[in-house]
Amino acid sequence: MSSLPSLSALKSLPAKHQPDYADADEVAAVLDKLRALPPLVFAGEVDSLRDNLASVARGEAFVLQGGDCAETFEGVTADNVSRKLRVLLSMASVMTYAAQVPVVKIGRIAGQYAKPRSKPTEVRDGVELPSYLGDAINGIDFTPEARRHDPARLLEIYHSSAATLNLVRAFVTGGFADLRSVHSWNANFARHTNAGEKYLQLAEGIESALAFMEACGVDDASLRTVDFFASHEGLLLEYEHALTRIDSRSDLPYDTSGHMIWIGERTRQLDGAHVELMRNIRNPIGIKLGPTASAADAVAIADRLDPEREPGRITFITRVGASQVRELLPAIIEGVEKTGRKPTWICDPMHGNTFATSNGYKTRSFTDVVEEVNGFFDVHHQLGTWPGGVHVELTGEDVTECVGGVDEIDEVDLSQRYETACDPRLNRNQSLELAFLIAQRLSDGRIERSGKLPVPAPPPVAVGANLPD
């Protein structure tokens, strides 16, 4: 990974789900501007995330990765970003308490503006136009002008992502992430919903732990600030290539559009442009594995992207569906583990569980989401491997996009606040309910693993030193 292939070399390879720009000169002018802009993230931050993911792979940490299905430019507001961040921090706090290991917090944020679609066009009332592919490519309004693939939107990705990252950095270091405030959000959820006694007990346990630390005088900065990383699917080759920079410390390429970049289920071809780009950057790489993936597929792409088997480099994000997770996942994990690799394993319980309702809404059932998560934990328990994290599409808003959950949303409720730009997301209460359920699984696993993880020894005391006669 000492050099970066040119964009023209990448474009000569198979590349699925790319925009169809009409004016090559316009594209070139936009890319020249992007290449001259400062990085959005820094190489040292990327290295830190890779180290954290190596800890996850060793079973010493857990990942929470979440955010919008598809970000929108108009969604870059302080209120929207803060609500999303609040949900993720709330989820992470209960998971940390339950697992008693650090939770690595990664947002689907500051770059998740493009989405592959199953059909390149859509038809309404006999009119056929290009499909909406995310704000990175075209607009959601069903007009020829809005649906044009516009390269100027690549610059807007950059500026929107920069604004989002500025907000996130200010929030996580400016008191918003204070653990005591985060806990109050969880306690309010547990006490004012019908989530059940077990959630309230967990919230009260965290409250007791915080009171204990306060009584001991613990006031560490880690209680008030957090590390928060940004990730997105590296779908748009022009954008990712233009944001890749050579690090002055190592002379190696880093994609500075985000800390972690993932390859989607539809673009993980071994001979494709996406894999070629990803194998030449230093970022941690996520790989989505759907129900058609085999162990051989996983091993082959891991060997292609990470021939040196660097800790923290590879994260497999499985999305096989609730009905198939217990059937399909064991063979994939066993096949990879037999090679001696220790990747990070993350469950995406969203993408394999989408269906259309009788009234025409694309949705997901909270029950199915929970079932895939439980299946993921069960399989790893069966194999003796570490269930390293979850990858969830969510929002901090009280939307009605997924059925079920603590508020018992049903199909007729979906029309009330169905606001997603693409796929249905868990709302605030559904996200917190999922966090409490995952926390219970982590707590059960911690009890079973007690004695297997190293416990720090107390500092030595010199016998007789400075003791009274």
Side-chain angles (χ1 to χ4, degrees):
M1 294 192 297
S2 59
S3 63
L4 185 72
S6 67
L7 182 59
S8 60
L10 289 176
K11 300 288 276 186
S12 70
L13 300 173
K16 294 189 175 183
H17 300 283
Q18 297 305 288
D20 183 16
Y21 297 126
D23 189 332
D25 290 338
E26 187 181 8
V27 175
V30 167
L31 295 183
D32 285 343
K33 291 179 181 178
L34 278 174
R35 293 188 185 104
L37 290 169
L40 290 172
V41 303
F42 300 102
E45 297 171 340
V46 173
D47 292 341
S48 177
L49 176 57
R50 193 170 54 252
D51 291 342
N52 285 337
L53 291 172
S55 296
V56 177
R58 294 193 298 268
E60 299 168 0
F62 190 79
V63 172
L64 172 62
Q65 186 174 12
D68 280 314
C69 163
E71 295 176 281
T72 62
F73 296 147
E74 69 175 15
V76 184
T77 67
D79 283 346
N80 187 35
V81 174
S82 66
R83 289 189 187 110
K84 200 182 316 180
L85 187 59
R86 176 180 292 185
V87 168
L88 287 167
L89 294 176
S90 298
M91 295 175 73
S93 70
V94 298
M95 293 177 188
T96 303
Y97 177 77
Q100 295 188 13
V101 297
V103 171
V104 182
K105 292 163 277 291
I106 309 174
R108 284 176 60 107
I109 200 168
Q112 186 58 22
Y113 289 100
K115 290 288 290 185
R117 305 302 295 271
S118 57
K119 296 180 180 179
T121 63
E122 66 172 303
V123 179
R124 298 185 190 178
D125 299 324
V127 177
E128 184 175 17
L129 291 176
S131 295
Y132 171 64
L133 301 175
D135 277 11
I137 298 172
N138 57 4
I140 198 168
D141 293 339
F142 194 74
T143 66
E145 296 77 17
R147 293 298 176 93
R148 170 183 175 262
H149 293 188
D150 183 1
R153 288 174 172 268
L154 297 176
L155 283 169
E156 199 159 356
I157 301 174
Y158 176 90
H159 293 300
S160 296
S161 297
T164 299
L165 286 170
N166 284 341
L167 280 168
V168 168
R169 285 174 172 134
F171 282 135
V172 300
T173 60
F176 185 83
D178 190 298
L179 186 57
R180 288 154 289 201
S181 297
V182 171
H183 167 65
S184 71
W185 306 330
N186 288 329
N188 186 66
F189 165 79
R191 290 171 182 145
H192 296 97
T193 67
N194 59 347
E197 182 65 24
K198 58 185 178 182
Y199 300 159
L200 185 59
Q201 290 175 355
L202 182 56
E204 289 174 346
I206 297 174
E207 197 163 294
S208 297
L210 288 171
F212 174 76
M213 288 189 290
E214 187 170 339
C216 292
V218 175
D219 190 27
D220 191 84
S222 62
L223 299 179
R224 301 187 300 275
T225 63
V226 298
D227 290 328
F228 192 88
F229 301 98
S231 70
H232 62 269
E233 181 178 357
L235 184 63
L236 301 183
L237 295 171
E238 286 93 349
Y239 182 76
E240 303 303 336
H241 191 274
L243 267 292
T244 298
R245 305 283 189 267
I246 303 301
D247 176 38
S248 59
R249 308 165 307 162
S250 62
D251 288 329
L252 295 174
Y254 285 74
D255 185 346
T256 66
S257 69
H259 300 105
M260 178 183 184
I261 312 297
W262 76 80
I263 301 175
E265 167 75 357
R266 305 180 191 188
T267 54
R268 56 177 174 81
Q269 296 78 25
L270 289 179
D271 62 347
H274 292 88
V275 170
E276 180 64 18
L277 174 61
M278 300 303 171
R279 80 181 189 90
N280 283 286
I281 60 176
R282 288 288 295 145
N283 305 60
I285 302 300
I287 306 162
K288 289 287 190 86
L289 298 176
T292 63
S294 66
D297 294 333
V299 171
I301 196 168
D303 288 344
R304 180 71 172 158
L305 293 171
D306 180 35
E308 297 179 2
R309 303 192 175 195
E310 181 180 10
R313 167 72 171 165
I314 293 295
T315 295
F316 285 117
I317 306 170
T318 61
R319 37 154 294 183
V320 296
S323 63
Q324 303 181 90
V325 61
R326 290 177 174 83
E327 175 187 351
L328 300 180
L329 192 56
I332 296 174
I333 296 173
E334 284 184 307
V336 172
E337 296 276 335
K338 282 179 181 177
T339 69
R341 283 190 176 275
K342 290 293 179 183
T344 302
W345 293 100
I346 293 180
C347 173
D348 170 359
M350 308 295 291
H351 284 90
N353 297 304
T354 307
F355 65 95
T357 66
S358 57
N359 54 353
Y361 286 93
K362 182 164 62 170
T363 191
R364 289 153 176 162
S365 166
F366 184 78
T367 300
D368 290 341
V369 170
V370 172
E371 176 62 17
E372 181 153 2
V373 169
N374 278 329
F376 176 78
F377 273 88
D378 290 344
V379 168
H380 280 282
H381 174 73
Q382 168 194 334
L383 299 178
T385 50
W386 175 239
V390 290
H391 178 121
V392 187
E393 290 184 340
L394 57 80
T395 177
E397 308 294 332
D398 293 324
V399 299
T400 54
E401 296 171 2
C402 294
V403 297
V406 66
D407 295 325
E408 300 180 345
I409 296 171
D410 60 27
E411 292 187 10
V412 298
D413 298 321
L414 295 177
S415 62
Q416 293 179 11
R417 286 193 64 182
Y418 195 94
E419 300 174 3
T420 181
C422 189
D423 290 337
R425 305 160 295 176
L426 299 179
N427 65 24
R428 177 183 58 188
N429 281 352
Q430 289 168 330
S431 300
L432 291 178
E433 183 178 7
L434 179 63
F436 276 92
L437 290 167
I438 293 171
Q440 186 61 57
R441 294 302 307 254
L442 289 169
S443 178
D444 294 343
R446 173 178 56 81
I447 293 169
E448 292 175 0
R449 296 169 77 227
S450 61
K452 297 180 182 180
L453 294 178
V455 178
V461 177
V463 178
N466 299 318
L467 295 178
D469 293 336

